[in-house]
Amino acid sequence: MNRSEAPTMSVKIIEKPEPPASNECCGSGSCCPCVWDYYRDQLHIWQQQQQMTSLELKVKEASLASPAG
């Protein structure tokens, strides 16, 4: 690997999760994990990925806008 090449990691980008349908939750509160727990976890991951993607785009735009020196 060339020193100028940064190591890369493989990250699975997820689509925005859909909330569970009304018939997917039993409502007993005893399921572990509940479909709502899974949904909230996936939504949190998706939100973090969106923030990282936005930040990466801003960094790239800034580097393209600044003159090379």
Side-chain angles (χ1 to χ4, degrees), residues 53-65:
T53 301
S54 176
L55 180 61
E56 288 170 359
L57 287 173
K58 288 177 183 176
V59 168
K60 285 182 182 181
E61 288 173 356
S63 67
L64 292 174

Side-chain angles (χ1 to χ4, degrees), residues 5 8 13 25 31 39 44 52-55 60-61 64:
E5 294 177 19
T8 59
I13 304 297
C25 179
C31 299
Y39 166 72
H44 180 72
M52 289 300 296
T53 301
S54 176
L55 180 61
K60 285 182 182 181
E61 288 173 356
L64 292 174

